[in-house]
Structure formats: C-alpha cells, structure tokens
C-alpha cells in the first residue's frame, strides 16, 4: 500500500483494489474489448455508480491497474537488472492477461501496456526539463517499445522458451546501449 | 440454524398495519439490539420506544432528530456511503464497521411501493455483538418495514420528490461531491439497463406549473415503471435504458409510443451513456434533439440525438 495514503482514503482504496482484482480476473478470461463496466462491477460486487465515482471508464481503471503494478515493479528496485527481472516475472505470471491486452484490435491497450513497461524502465521521459519534446527520446521509446511488445508477444506464443533468460539479458543490453548512445 | 429460522419466523410474524413504531419495538425484542430508521435526508423517522444507549450516532439522532453534516462527512470518509451504494444493487444490506464507531452496525434499505428507496434501517450492536445470521434477519425486517411504508401516501410522494431532486441535481450538473451522492445516484441507477439515455418530453402548451405535466409523468410511470421520471423546466425528463447501444424505439419505448401519439407529445432522446454523473451533457443533447426535430418539421414524434 502506498505510504502516502491518507487514513480516510483506506476504504476507497479497498474499492479500487476490489475493482483492480476484478479486472485481473476478467482479463484472465477475455479480451479487454469484451470487458464491460457492468461485468467489472458484478465481479467486484460494487454498484455501477461507485465505479464511476472513482473512474471515468474501464480504460481509466486499466491505467490505474498498470500504475499500481508499476509501483510494485519498481518498488525498492536499485538497478535496471532488478526492474528487468521484475518485469520478466510480471510477464511470466500474467501471460494470459498480457495476451488479452495485446489482442485488442484497436491497439489502445497495447499502447498503454507499452507505455507502462517503458515508464517502468524509465525510458518514456520524452520531454526535457523545459517541457520541450526530446525527439531522440521519442524515437527511442517508440522504436524500443514496438520491439519490446513484439518480443513479449513472441515469448507468450512460444510458451517462454528455455533460453529466455539469456534472450532477456540480450534485450535489456540493447536498451542500455541505446540509452548510453543517447547520453 | 434452528435459532435463525425461529427468529426469522418471529420477524415475519410481526403484524403489519400497526405502524413502524410497533414493528421496531417487536424487532428489538427479537434481535436483542435496537434498530432505527431514517429518511434519505438523514432525518429520524422512528426508533424503539424508551431505548437509551451510549452510541454517539444514536444520541445525535435522539438529540437533533437528524444527522449533522459532520457525521455524514464521516460516513463518506469511512466508505459507508459507498457500501450502501454497493448493497443497493446486490443484497440490500451491508455491515458498517469501523474502529472509529463505538458499536458495529448493520444497514438495510426500505423501499416504497414504487421500489424507490425512501428510508434506511440501521441496527446497532450496542446491547450484544451481532450473530452471524443478522443480515438475513435485517433483510426480512426491511421487507416488513417496506410493506408498512408502502401503505403510506406520504412515502409514495416523498419517494417521488426525492427521486426528482436527485435527477434535477444530475441534469443540472450540481453534484460536486460524488462521494456524498454515491448512494443517492445508485438509487436512480437501480433497475436501469447497461445503456442509459436521457429523454425529454414536451407536452403541448404546458409549463412547469401546469398540472398536465404531473398527470403525464404519472401516466408514463404507470405505463413504463422501470424508467426514472422527473419534471424539469417545461419538460418531463426521464432516464430510459436498453441492453443495446443503439436504441430500438419500437421495442424499447413500445408501451409509451401510443401515449405520445394520442396526446401530441414530442420527445427528444440523447445518445447512450453509462455514467449517470454525465447526465447534464446528455440532457442538453436530448433538448437539442427535440428542438432541432421540431424545427425540421419532418412529422416525426421522437427525435434522436444522432438524427435517426
């Protein structure tokens, strides 16, 4: 639980947690496009109005779920290696969910997932301190993100091959090389 | 189990027709804890005779006849209002437990004959801890109390006024604190299908003071009771709902179409939505659809936002 959570927010945190759990359960079974707010509310046993008190739509809930997962992934991580390891674990443990997020025809969820992974790896910061767009970072994040998504899809489709660990290290060394090249 | 069925039988045997005071007195003896009821404005309706306890919220009810804003805010922060909103769509009863409350309590909703929530029942575990079977007993008690309230014209009118006020707040966009209103809006949402539409009906030559509007609102309600109706400005505004994102007028409004045709009533309908907190935008859509439709002079009676 995030440390800055106010005491009065605890109950609301519980509602959000129930909705995130419902989203995970439904994503194990179906594509994100097939999930409805009604279905989420039924699974979490909350009213539709309660849902809309906290979230604008199911995409908003997905973003919240990804943010929450990101906090878990980067929590106390001291190096890229640890984050990388946490991401690999996340992908392996949630392969059905990721498959269902990647399977959406409109690509919106793929982009959300991609942004989540890139921001977990701290490479989505495409703006300079002045708030200006940094074209190099834009190219890097789009290029790397696209590759990462395809790679994860391939991993899942091939049921996580045995030499995956070596492949993962290679992938992240590419990223580190790219980041160095940026400096 | 034997004890539960025994108590359940006793609750179901409480005679209707002797008033809510009588029911609450009898229920106190069966449950071993007192329960009071209050209306949707947090005003006390009734409590068992002669009960004195040291529960601060009970004392507040006895002293002021209602709950103050501070307590309502506390209810919101403790997630109680949300719990109530959630139970509206499921069991109809919920526990309200917090280490900030002196005693645990259990809550149930009471409806009038139109299935509009008009009051809440709260039992307080101040004399003894709740038994595990308390939700079943409270549900049964709520059913008996709802039947009793249903006999009263006052609660029929109160329910309608309450519902109209919430609809008015929704279409005026006047709900600033969603947390406080969650339960109230959940009452409007209750029974509506996945896709909601705002409809506005214009009755020829009538304004908000015209009794014709009240007459037609009641007629609509009797004809199609699962929609939610209100009078707002010069219109009858109502939330209609459908399982489909594309409204099928012939099917979804089947029962009302005849009334529209017979009485020269024109209707504008918004696009579909799910979040009642967005009602204002859709009300404007419905009014615009009606006005554009009337100006276009195309002999239709129902005008949809997307121009179909």
């Amino acid at each position: 639980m995030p440390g800055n959570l106010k005491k009065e927010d605890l109950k609301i945190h519980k509602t959000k947690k129930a909705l995130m759990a419902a989203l995970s359960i439904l994503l194990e079974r179906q594509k994100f496009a097939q999930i409805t707010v009604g279905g989420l509310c039924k699974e979490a046993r909350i009213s539709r109005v309660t849902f809309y008190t906290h979230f604008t739509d199911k995409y908003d809930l997905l973003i919240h779920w990804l943010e929450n997962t990101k906090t878990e992934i980067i929590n106390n991580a001291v190096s890229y290696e640890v984050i990388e390891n946490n991401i690999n674990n996340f992908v392996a443990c949630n392969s059905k969910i990721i498959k269902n997020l990647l399977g959406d025809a409109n690509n919106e969820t793929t982009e959300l997932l991609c942004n989540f992974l890139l921001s977990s790896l701290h490479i989505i910061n495409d703006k300079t301190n002045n708030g200006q767009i940094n074209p190099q970072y834009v190219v890097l994040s789009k290029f790397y993100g696209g590759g990462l998504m395809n790679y994860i899809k391939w991993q899942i489709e091939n049921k996580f091959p045995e030499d995956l660990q070596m492949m993962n290290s290679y992938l992240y060394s590419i990223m580190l090389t790219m980041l160095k090249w940026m400096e | 189990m034997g004890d539960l069925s025994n108590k359940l039988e006793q609750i179901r045997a409480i005679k209707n027709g002797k008033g809510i005071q009588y029911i609450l007195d009898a229920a106190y003896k069966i449950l071993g804890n007192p329960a009071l009821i209050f209306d949707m404005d947090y005003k006390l309706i009734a409590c068992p005779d002669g009960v004195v306890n040291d529960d601060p919220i009970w004392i507040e009810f006895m002293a002021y006849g209602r709950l103050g804003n501070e307590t309502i805010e506390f209810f919101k922060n403790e997630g109680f209002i949300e719990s109530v909103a959630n139970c509206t769509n499921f069991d109809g009863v919920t526990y309200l437990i917090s280490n900030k409350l002196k005693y645990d309590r259990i809550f149930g909703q009471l409806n009038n004959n139109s299935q509009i929530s008009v009051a809440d029942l709260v039992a307080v575990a101040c004399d003894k801890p709740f038994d595990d079977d308390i939700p079943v007993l409270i549900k049964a008690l709520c059913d008996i109390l709802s039947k009793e309230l249903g006999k009263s014209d006052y609660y029929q009118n109160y329910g309608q006024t309450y519902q109209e006020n919430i609809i008015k707040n929704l279409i005026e966009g006047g709900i600033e604190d969603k947390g406080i209103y969650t339960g109230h809006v959940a009452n409007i949402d209750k029974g509506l299908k996945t896709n909601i539409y705002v409809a506005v009906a214009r009755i020829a030559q009538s304004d908000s003071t015209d009794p014709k509007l009240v007459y037609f609102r009641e007629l609509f309600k009797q004809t199609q009771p699962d929609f939610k109706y209100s009078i707002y400005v010069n219109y009858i505004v109502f939330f209609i709902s459908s399982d489909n994102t594309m409204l099928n007028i012939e099917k979804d409004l089947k029962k009302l179409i005849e009334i529209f045709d017979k009485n020269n009533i024109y209707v504008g309908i918004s696009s579909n939505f799910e979040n009642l907190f967005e009602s204002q935008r859709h009300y404007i859509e419905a009014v615009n659809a009606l006005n554009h439709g009337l100006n276009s002079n195309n002999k239709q009676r129902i005008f949809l936002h997307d121009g179909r």
Side-chain angles (χ1 to χ4, degrees):
Chain A
M1 187 185 300
N4 59 354
L5 208 63
K6 288 182 200 162
K7 267 192 173 175
E8 61 262 33
D9 292 338
L10 285 174
K11 295 274 179 177
I12 286 158
H13 180 74
K14 206 174 143 193
T15 303
K16 288 188 171 178
K17 218 171 152 185
L19 278 167
M20 285 193 288
L23 179 63
S24 301
I25 290 167
L26 294 186
L27 271 175
E28 291 262 350
R29 301 201 286 251
Q30 58 200 122
K31 287 189 168 65
F32 186 74
Q34 295 165 327
I35 294 174
T36 61
V37 170
L40 287 162
C41 292
K42 205 173 169 187
E43 186 66 44
R45 287 185 70 78
I46 66 151
S47 76
R48 176 161 65 169
V49 175
T50 302
F51 178 94
Y52 285 117
T53 304
H54 299 291
F55 299 103
T56 49
D57 52 28
K58 64 175 182 173
Y59 288 93
D60 195 20
L61 171 64
L62 176 63
I63 291 167
H64 189 82
W65 182 80
L66 290 171
E67 281 296 321
N68 206 57
T69 310
K70 189 172 97 182
T71 311
E72 282 170 27
I73 285 176
I74 59 176
N75 196 21
N76 300 325
V78 285
S79 65
Y80 265 129
E81 223 171 6
V82 177
I83 296 175
E84 173 198 316
N85 200 33
N86 290 348
I87 288 181
N88 292 335
N89 285 340
F90 167 74
V91 172
C93 296
N94 298 283
S95 58
K96 274 186 190 167
I97 292 178
I98 292 169
K99 202 175 169 186
N100 280 327
L101 283 173
L102 290 172
D104 266 359
N106 62 10
N107 282 333
E108 262 179 275
T109 52
T110 307
E111 198 164 337
L112 284 173
L113 185 67
C114 181
N115 286 343
F116 146 71
L117 290 173
L118 291 176
S119 63
S120 299
L121 288 162
H122 298 286
I123 58 166
I124 199 149
N125 185 10
D126 59 0
K127 287 182 183 164
T128 63
N129 288 339
N130 306 326
Q132 299 290 311
I133 299 283
N134 181 338
Q136 286 173 311
Y137 262 118
V138 173
V139 172
L140 173 68
S141 60
K142 296 287 170 201
F143 184 74
Y144 188 81
L148 185 62
M149 286 298 101
N150 267 332
Y151 175 64
I152 288 173
K153 209 170 166 184
W154 177 85
Q155 279 182 30
I156 295 169
E157 278 165 6
N158 288 280
K159 299 190 170 79
F160 301 97
E162 271 177 28
D163 46 359
L164 194 66
Q165 205 173 351
M166 192 190 74
M167 290 181 181
N168 285 340
S169 314
Y170 184 59
L171 177 83
Y172 289 104
S173 69
I174 294 173
M175 187 197 73
L176 289 174
T177 310
M178 287 170 85
L179 282 172
K180 265 190 191 160
W181 172 72
M182 288 285 305
E183 284 167 2
Chain B
M1 194 65 197
D3 194 34
L4 168 66
S5 56
N6 187 23
K7 281 182 184 172
L8 202 55
E9 241 170 65
Q10 285 182 55
I11 284 182
R12 285 177 181 152
I14 298 174
K15 273 189 184 166
N16 264 134
K18 289 193 170 185
I20 44 180
Q21 177 71 58
Y22 171 82
I23 296 173
L24 289 176
D25 286 341
Y28 184 25
K29 286 175 197 156
I30 301 164
L31 299 175
N33 277 311
L36 58 77
I37 62 173
F38 58 93
D39 68 16
M40 305 314 280
D41 301 309
Y42 301 98
K43 284 183 189 151
L44 178 70
I45 296 173
C47 62
D49 204 21
V51 171
V52 177
N53 66 47
D54 59 350
D55 177 63
I57 296 172
W58 189 282
I59 293 169
E60 188 176 340
F61 266 124
M62 297 307 127
Y64 304 108
R66 58 165 299 150
L67 288 183
N69 289 342
E70 226 170 86
T71 309
I72 297 165
E73 191 70 20
F74 163 78
F75 274 25
K76 182 190 85 172
N77 292 336
E78 285 298 296
F80 294 162
I81 291 179
E82 212 162 271
S83 300
V84 169
N86 295 341
C87 85
T88 300
N89 292 53
F90 295 97
D91 314 315
V93 291
T94 184
Y95 283 103
L96 307 181
I97 296 172
S98 158
N99 53 14
K100 290 181 192 163
L101 286 176
K102 187 153 190 170
Y103 300 108
D104 293 346
R105 54 203 68 216
I106 187 163
F107 165 99
Q109 278 192 322
L110 311 178
N111 300 325
N112 67 8
N113 277 352
S114 309
Q115 292 311 306
I116 298 173
S117 298
V118 286
D120 298 327
L121 171 119
V122 175
V124 184
C126 54
D127 289 359
K128 61 169 197 150
F130 286 136
D131 299 327
D132 291 345
D133 50 25
I134 188 78
V136 182
L137 301 174
I138 291 296
K139 183 84 187 65
L141 184 58
C142 285
D143 290 345
I144 289 173
L145 282 162
S146 292
K147 270 185 204 159
E148 192 69 26
L149 290 178
K151 289 173 190 159
S152 152
D153 284 344
Y154 172 77
Y155 286 105
Q156 279 306 111
N157 289 328
Y158 175 81
Q160 181 59 47
T161 311
Y162 161 70
Q163 188 167 284
E164 293 219 0
N165 276 333
I166 303 298
I167 293 176
K168 182 172 171 272
N169 278 329
L170 284 169
I171 58 181
E172 284 183 348
I175 295 177
E176 283 171 13
D177 189 343
K178 285 183 185 174
I180 291 280
Y181 271 85
T182 315
H184 296 307
V185 179
N187 279 331
I188 302 293
D189 197 50
K190 189 168 68 175
L192 291 178
K193 292 174 186 165
T194 308
N195 298 286
I196 306 170
Y197 304 78
V198 175
V200 293
R202 204 194 75 161
I203 317 292
Q205 290 164 351
S206 45
D207 58 33
S208 58
T209 56
D210 194 330
K212 264 193 289 187
L213 285 178
V214 178
Y215 167 77
F216 280 111
R217 183 198 63 199
E218 290 307 306
L219 186 62
F220 289 2
K221 206 160 71 176
Q222 281 163 23
T223 313
Q224 189 94 46
D226 45 340
F227 297 163
K228 308 294 164 86
Y229 302 89
S230 174
I231 291 170
Y232 184 69
V233 192
N234 297 336
Y235 303 113
I236 296 173
V237 179
F238 47 117
F239 289 119
I240 59 183
S241 68
S242 165
D243 289 323
N244 306 311
T245 48
M246 198 79 95
L247 192 69
N248 182 337
I249 294 173
E250 281 74 27
K251 183 173 162 263
D252 296 315
L253 297 177
K254 194 180 168 190
K255 296 175 190 166
L256 289 173
I257 288 174
E258 205 180 321
I259 300 176
F260 298 158
D261 285 338
K262 264 190 188 169
N263 297 283
N264 199 26
I265 294 170
Y266 290 92
V267 179
I269 298 177
S270 74
S271 60
N272 69 303
F273 64 110
E274 281 191 46
N275 179 0
L276 277 174
F277 291 113
E278 292 175 356
S279 300
Q280 187 183 33
R281 181 161 62 89
H282 294 275
Y283 165 73
I284 294 166
E285 278 181 6
V287 172
N288 286 342
L290 177 64
N291 290 337
H292 289 153
L294 290 172
N295 290 336
S296 67
N297 201 14
N298 65 4
K299 293 182 182 172
Q300 269 179 266
R301 197 160 286 289
I302 298 172
F303 308 105
L304 300 181
H305 166 68
D306 57 10
R308 275 186 298 135

PDB file of all heavy atoms in Angstrom, chain B residues 281-303:
ATOM      1  N   ARG B 281     -24.746  16.620 -19.766  1.00  0.00           N
ATOM      2  CA  ARG B 281     -24.394  16.680 -21.196  1.00  0.00           C
ATOM      3  C   ARG B 281     -25.476  15.983 -22.031  1.00  0.00           C
ATOM      4  O   ARG B 281     -25.866  16.461 -23.092  1.00  0.00           O
ATOM      5  CB  ARG B 281     -23.036  16.001 -21.398  1.00  0.00           C
ATOM      6  CG  ARG B 281     -22.527  16.013 -22.814  1.00  0.00           C
ATOM      7  CD  ARG B 281     -21.027  15.769 -22.841  1.00  0.00           C
ATOM      8  NE  ARG B 281     -20.645  14.464 -22.305  1.00  0.00           N
ATOM      9  CZ  ARG B 281     -20.568  13.362 -23.040  1.00  0.00           C
ATOM     10  NH1 ARG B 281     -20.891  13.407 -24.314  1.00  0.00           N
ATOM     11  NH2 ARG B 281     -20.171  12.216 -22.516  1.00  0.00           N
ATOM     12  N   HIS B 282     -25.976  14.892 -21.531  1.00  0.00           N
ATOM     13  CA  HIS B 282     -26.948  14.111 -22.305  1.00  0.00           C
ATOM     14  C   HIS B 282     -28.344  14.749 -22.252  1.00  0.00           C
ATOM     15  O   HIS B 282     -29.120  14.619 -23.196  1.00  0.00           O
ATOM     16  CB  HIS B 282     -26.946  12.657 -21.827  1.00  0.00           C
ATOM     17  CG  HIS B 282     -25.637  11.993 -22.125  1.00  0.00           C
ATOM     18  ND1 HIS B 282     -25.368  11.414 -23.331  1.00  0.00           N
ATOM     19  CD2 HIS B 282     -24.506  11.900 -21.391  1.00  0.00           C
ATOM     20  CE1 HIS B 282     -24.119  10.961 -23.326  1.00  0.00           C
ATOM     21  NE2 HIS B 282     -23.576  11.241 -22.159  1.00  0.00           N
ATOM     22  N   TYR B 283     -28.626  15.461 -21.175  1.00  0.00           N
ATOM     23  CA  TYR B 283     -29.880  16.213 -21.100  1.00  0.00           C
ATOM     24  C   TYR B 283     -29.870  17.298 -22.187  1.00  0.00           C
ATOM     25  O   TYR B 283     -30.855  17.486 -22.918  1.00  0.00           O
ATOM     26  CB  TYR B 283     -30.033  16.836 -19.703  1.00  0.00           C
ATOM     27  CG  TYR B 283     -31.087  17.909 -19.637  1.00  0.00           C
ATOM     28  CD1 TYR B 283     -32.450  17.584 -19.678  1.00  0.00           C
ATOM     29  CD2 TYR B 283     -30.738  19.253 -19.546  1.00  0.00           C
ATOM     30  CE1 TYR B 283     -33.416  18.576 -19.641  1.00  0.00           C
ATOM     31  CE2 TYR B 283     -31.699  20.245 -19.503  1.00  0.00           C
ATOM     32  CZ  TYR B 283     -33.040  19.906 -19.547  1.00  0.00           C
ATOM     33  OH  TYR B 283     -33.998  20.878 -19.507  1.00  0.00           O
ATOM     34  N   ILE B 284     -28.726  17.981 -22.306  1.00  0.00           N
ATOM     35  CA  ILE B 284     -28.604  19.040 -23.322  1.00  0.00           C
ATOM     36  C   ILE B 284     -28.766  18.442 -24.724  1.00  0.00           C
ATOM     37  O   ILE B 284     -29.447  19.003 -25.579  1.00  0.00           O
ATOM     38  CB  ILE B 284     -27.251  19.797 -23.168  1.00  0.00           C
ATOM     39  CG1 ILE B 284     -27.252  20.559 -21.836  1.00  0.00           C
ATOM     40  CG2 ILE B 284     -26.999  20.756 -24.333  1.00  0.00           C
ATOM     41  CD1 ILE B 284     -25.903  21.076 -21.385  1.00  0.00           C
ATOM     42  N   GLU B 285     -28.175  17.276 -24.917  1.00  0.00           N
ATOM     43  CA  GLU B 285     -28.320  16.578 -26.210  1.00  0.00           C
ATOM     44  C   GLU B 285     -29.795  16.310 -26.511  1.00  0.00           C
ATOM     45  O   GLU B 285     -30.258  16.510 -27.638  1.00  0.00           O
ATOM     46  CB  GLU B 285     -27.610  15.225 -26.164  1.00  0.00           C
ATOM     47  CG  GLU B 285     -26.117  15.272 -26.404  1.00  0.00           C
ATOM     48  CD  GLU B 285     -25.499  13.876 -26.375  1.00  0.00           C
ATOM     49  OE1 GLU B 285     -26.235  12.867 -26.290  1.00  0.00           O
ATOM     50  OE2 GLU B 285     -24.274  13.799 -26.417  1.00  0.00           O
ATOM     51  N   ALA B 286     -30.514  15.840 -25.496  1.00  0.00           N
ATOM     52  CA  ALA B 286     -31.928  15.490 -25.685  1.00  0.00           C
ATOM     53  C   ALA B 286     -32.756  16.732 -26.013  1.00  0.00           C
ATOM     54  O   ALA B 286     -33.617  16.699 -26.917  1.00  0.00           O
ATOM     55  CB  ALA B 286     -32.462  14.801 -24.432  1.00  0.00           C
ATOM     56  N   VAL B 287     -32.492  17.841 -25.298  1.00  0.00           N
ATOM     57  CA  VAL B 287     -33.238  19.085 -25.557  1.00  0.00           C
ATOM     58  C   VAL B 287     -32.931  19.583 -26.973  1.00  0.00           C
ATOM     59  O   VAL B 287     -33.836  19.979 -27.724  1.00  0.00           O
ATOM     60  CB  VAL B 287     -32.895  20.161 -24.494  1.00  0.00           C
ATOM     61  CG1 VAL B 287     -33.501  21.509 -24.869  1.00  0.00           C
ATOM     62  CG2 VAL B 287     -33.379  19.722 -23.118  1.00  0.00           C
ATOM     63  N   ASN B 288     -31.647  19.527 -27.344  1.00  0.00           N
ATOM     64  CA  ASN B 288     -31.265  19.956 -28.693  1.00  0.00           C
ATOM     65  C   ASN B 288     -31.921  19.084 -29.759  1.00  0.00           C
ATOM     66  O   ASN B 288     -32.388  19.581 -30.780  1.00  0.00           O
ATOM     67  CB  ASN B 288     -29.741  19.912 -28.863  1.00  0.00           C
ATOM     68  CG  ASN B 288     -29.074  21.058 -28.124  1.00  0.00           C
ATOM     69  OD1 ASN B 288     -29.724  22.047 -27.774  1.00  0.00           O
ATOM     70  ND2 ASN B 288     -27.793  20.921 -27.843  1.00  0.00           N
ATOM     71  N   ALA B 289     -31.941  17.781 -29.508  1.00  0.00           N
ATOM     72  CA  ALA B 289     -32.567  16.853 -30.474  1.00  0.00           C
ATOM     73  C   ALA B 289     -34.044  17.210 -30.647  1.00  0.00           C
ATOM     74  O   ALA B 289     -34.560  17.247 -31.769  1.00  0.00           O
ATOM     75  CB  ALA B 289     -32.423  15.419 -29.984  1.00  0.00           C
ATOM     76  N   LEU B 290     -34.706  17.515 -29.531  1.00  0.00           N
ATOM     77  CA  LEU B 290     -36.130  17.866 -29.582  1.00  0.00           C
ATOM     78  C   LEU B 290     -36.329  19.165 -30.366  1.00  0.00           C
ATOM     79  O   LEU B 290     -37.176  19.246 -31.273  1.00  0.00           O
ATOM     80  CB  LEU B 290     -36.678  17.995 -28.154  1.00  0.00           C
ATOM     81  CG  LEU B 290     -38.131  18.414 -28.028  1.00  0.00           C
ATOM     82  CD1 LEU B 290     -39.070  17.377 -28.627  1.00  0.00           C
ATOM     83  CD2 LEU B 290     -38.512  18.633 -26.561  1.00  0.00           C
ATOM     84  N   ASN B 291     -35.531  20.184 -30.035  1.00  0.00           N
ATOM     85  CA  ASN B 291     -35.698  21.481 -30.698  1.00  0.00           C
ATOM     86  C   ASN B 291     -35.392  21.407 -32.189  1.00  0.00           C
ATOM     87  O   ASN B 291     -36.139  21.934 -33.017  1.00  0.00           O
ATOM     88  CB  ASN B 291     -34.818  22.541 -30.022  1.00  0.00           C
ATOM     89  CG  ASN B 291     -35.352  22.869 -28.629  1.00  0.00           C
ATOM     90  OD1 ASN B 291     -36.541  22.665 -28.348  1.00  0.00           O
ATOM     91  ND2 ASN B 291     -34.492  23.328 -27.743  1.00  0.00           N
ATOM     92  N   HIS B 292     -34.290  20.727 -32.524  1.00  0.00           N
ATOM     93  CA  HIS B 292     -33.954  20.586 -33.949  1.00  0.00           C
ATOM     94  C   HIS B 292     -35.034  19.808 -34.680  1.00  0.00           C
ATOM     95  O   HIS B 292     -35.423  20.150 -35.791  1.00  0.00           O
ATOM     96  CB  HIS B 292     -32.601  19.867 -34.117  1.00  0.00           C
ATOM     97  CG  HIS B 292     -31.448  20.720 -33.709  1.00  0.00           C
ATOM     98  ND1 HIS B 292     -30.262  20.193 -33.256  1.00  0.00           N
ATOM     99  CD2 HIS B 292     -31.305  22.058 -33.656  1.00  0.00           C
ATOM    100  CE1 HIS B 292     -29.446  21.177 -32.954  1.00  0.00           C
ATOM    101  NE2 HIS B 292     -30.046  22.330 -33.184  1.00  0.00           N
ATOM    102  N   GLY B 293     -35.524  18.771 -34.027  1.00  0.00           N
ATOM    103  CA  GLY B 293     -36.556  17.934 -34.638  1.00  0.00           C
ATOM    104  C   GLY B 293     -37.823  18.724 -34.904  1.00  0.00           C
ATOM    105  O   GLY B 293     -38.411  18.628 -35.991  1.00  0.00           O
ATOM    106  N   LEU B 294     -38.229  19.534 -33.925  1.00  0.00           N
ATOM    107  CA  LEU B 294     -39.456  20.327 -34.083  1.00  0.00           C
ATOM    108  C   LEU B 294     -39.280  21.364 -35.192  1.00  0.00           C
ATOM    109  O   LEU B 294     -40.198  21.618 -35.971  1.00  0.00           O
ATOM    110  CB  LEU B 294     -39.825  21.006 -32.766  1.00  0.00           C
ATOM    111  CG  LEU B 294     -40.328  20.069 -31.656  1.00  0.00           C
ATOM    112  CD1 LEU B 294     -40.480  20.814 -30.340  1.00  0.00           C
ATOM    113  CD2 LEU B 294     -41.664  19.427 -32.051  1.00  0.00           C
ATOM    114  N   ASN B 295     -38.080  21.951 -35.270  1.00  0.00           N
ATOM    115  CA  ASN B 295     -37.822  22.959 -36.309  1.00  0.00           C
ATOM    116  C   ASN B 295     -37.763  22.357 -37.701  1.00  0.00           C
ATOM    117  O   ASN B 295     -38.065  23.028 -38.680  1.00  0.00           O
ATOM    118  CB  ASN B 295     -36.511  23.704 -36.019  1.00  0.00           C
ATOM    119  CG  ASN B 295     -36.672  24.600 -34.801  1.00  0.00           C
ATOM    120  OD1 ASN B 295     -37.790  25.000 -34.462  1.00  0.00           O
ATOM    121  ND2 ASN B 295     -35.573  24.891 -34.130  1.00  0.00           N
ATOM    122  N   SER B 296     -37.358  21.087 -37.744  1.00  0.00           N
ATOM    123  CA  SER B 296     -37.193  20.468 -39.073  1.00  0.00           C
ATOM    124  C   SER B 296     -38.543  20.095 -39.699  1.00  0.00           C
ATOM    125  O   SER B 296     -38.622  19.823 -40.882  1.00  0.00           O
ATOM    126  CB  SER B 296     -36.306  19.223 -38.982  1.00  0.00           C
ATOM    127  OG  SER B 296     -36.987  18.235 -38.246  1.00  0.00           O
ATOM    128  N   ASN B 297     -39.579  20.084 -38.883  1.00  0.00           N
ATOM    129  CA  ASN B 297     -40.935  19.868 -39.375  1.00  0.00           C
ATOM    130  C   ASN B 297     -41.070  18.575 -40.199  1.00  0.00           C
ATOM    131  O   ASN B 297     -41.657  18.558 -41.267  1.00  0.00           O
ATOM    132  CB  ASN B 297     -41.329  21.095 -40.229  1.00  0.00           C
ATOM    133  CG  ASN B 297     -42.840  21.226 -40.349  1.00  0.00           C
ATOM    134  OD1 ASN B 297     -43.568  20.566 -39.600  1.00  0.00           O
ATOM    135  ND2 ASN B 297     -43.290  22.055 -41.271  1.00  0.00           N
ATOM    136  N   ASN B 298     -40.452  17.495 -39.710  1.00  0.00           N
ATOM    137  CA  ASN B 298     -40.457  16.270 -40.517  1.00  0.00           C
ATOM    138  C   ASN B 298     -41.506  15.246 -40.072  1.00  0.00           C
ATOM    139  O   ASN B 298     -41.422  14.071 -40.412  1.00  0.00           O
ATOM    140  CB  ASN B 298     -39.060  15.636 -40.553  1.00  0.00           C
ATOM    141  CG  ASN B 298     -38.647  15.174 -39.181  1.00  0.00           C
ATOM    142  OD1 ASN B 298     -39.425  15.259 -38.226  1.00  0.00           O
ATOM    143  ND2 ASN B 298     -37.434  14.666 -39.059  1.00  0.00           N
ATOM    144  N   LYS B 299     -42.463  15.698 -39.319  1.00  0.00           N
ATOM    145  CA  LYS B 299     -43.625  14.889 -38.914  1.00  0.00           C
ATOM    146  C   LYS B 299     -43.294  13.711 -37.995  1.00  0.00           C
ATOM    147  O   LYS B 299     -44.147  12.871 -37.756  1.00  0.00           O
ATOM    148  CB  LYS B 299     -44.402  14.393 -40.147  1.00  0.00           C
ATOM    149  CG  LYS B 299     -45.067  15.526 -40.892  1.00  0.00           C
ATOM    150  CD  LYS B 299     -45.853  15.014 -42.068  1.00  0.00           C
ATOM    151  CE  LYS B 299     -46.465  16.200 -42.823  1.00  0.00           C
ATOM    152  NZ  LYS B 299     -47.071  15.793 -44.061  1.00  0.00           N
ATOM    153  N   GLN B 300     -42.072  13.682 -37.522  1.00  0.00           N
ATOM    154  CA  GLN B 300     -41.743  12.629 -36.553  1.00  0.00           C
ATOM    155  C   GLN B 300     -42.218  13.072 -35.179  1.00  0.00           C
ATOM    156  O   GLN B 300     -42.511  14.252 -34.954  1.00  0.00           O
ATOM    157  CB  GLN B 300     -40.225  12.440 -36.494  1.00  0.00           C
ATOM    158  CG  GLN B 300     -39.692  11.401 -37.442  1.00  0.00           C
ATOM    159  CD  GLN B 300     -38.186  11.321 -37.328  1.00  0.00           C
ATOM    160  OE1 GLN B 300     -37.481  11.975 -38.098  1.00  0.00           O
ATOM    161  NE2 GLN B 300     -37.712  10.568 -36.368  1.00  0.00           N
ATOM    162  N   ARG B 301     -42.264  12.103 -34.272  1.00  0.00           N
ATOM    163  CA  ARG B 301     -42.672  12.444 -32.904  1.00  0.00           C
ATOM    164  C   ARG B 301     -41.498  12.278 -31.936  1.00  0.00           C
ATOM    165  O   ARG B 301     -41.404  12.927 -30.917  1.00  0.00           O
ATOM    166  CB  ARG B 301     -43.832  11.525 -32.490  1.00  0.00           C
ATOM    167  CG  ARG B 301     -44.595  12.014 -31.314  1.00  0.00           C
ATOM    168  CD  ARG B 301     -45.957  11.410 -31.223  1.00  0.00           C
ATOM    169  NE  ARG B 301     -46.895  11.938 -32.204  1.00  0.00           N
ATOM    170  CZ  ARG B 301     -47.413  13.151 -32.179  1.00  0.00           C
ATOM    171  NH1 ARG B 301     -47.071  13.998 -31.237  1.00  0.00           N
ATOM    172  NH2 ARG B 301     -48.278  13.539 -33.092  1.00  0.00           N
ATOM    173  N   ILE B 302     -40.605  11.344 -32.282  1.00  0.00           N
ATOM    174  CA  ILE B 302     -39.441  11.086 -31.425  1.00  0.00           C
ATOM    175  C   ILE B 302     -38.182  11.451 -32.205  1.00  0.00           C
ATOM    176  O   ILE B 302     -37.983  10.980 -33.325  1.00  0.00           O
ATOM    177  CB  ILE B 302     -39.392   9.597 -30.994  1.00  0.00           C
ATOM    178  CG1 ILE B 302     -40.642   9.265 -30.172  1.00  0.00           C
ATOM    179  CG2 ILE B 302     -38.144   9.300 -30.183  1.00  0.00           C
ATOM    180  CD1 ILE B 302     -40.815   7.801 -29.839  1.00  0.00           C
ATOM    181  N   PHE B 303     -37.356  12.302 -31.590  1.00  0.00           N
ATOM    182  CA  PHE B 303     -36.145  12.762 -32.277  1.00  0.00           C
ATOM    183  C   PHE B 303     -34.926  12.296 -31.498  1.00  0.00           C
ATOM    184  O   PHE B 303     -34.804  12.579 -30.296  1.00  0.00           O
ATOM    185  CB  PHE B 303     -36.139  14.288 -32.376  1.00  0.00           C
ATOM    186  CG  PHE B 303     -37.402  14.841 -32.969  1.00  0.00           C
ATOM    187  CD1 PHE B 303     -38.355  15.458 -32.161  1.00  0.00           C
ATOM    188  CD2 PHE B 303     -37.645  14.732 -34.342  1.00  0.00           C
ATOM    189  CE1 PHE B 303     -39.528  15.959 -32.699  1.00  0.00           C
ATOM    190  CE2 PHE B 303     -38.822  15.236 -34.879  1.00  0.00           C
ATOM    191  CZ  PHE B 303     -39.767  15.845 -34.073  1.00  0.00           C
TER     192      PHE B 303
END
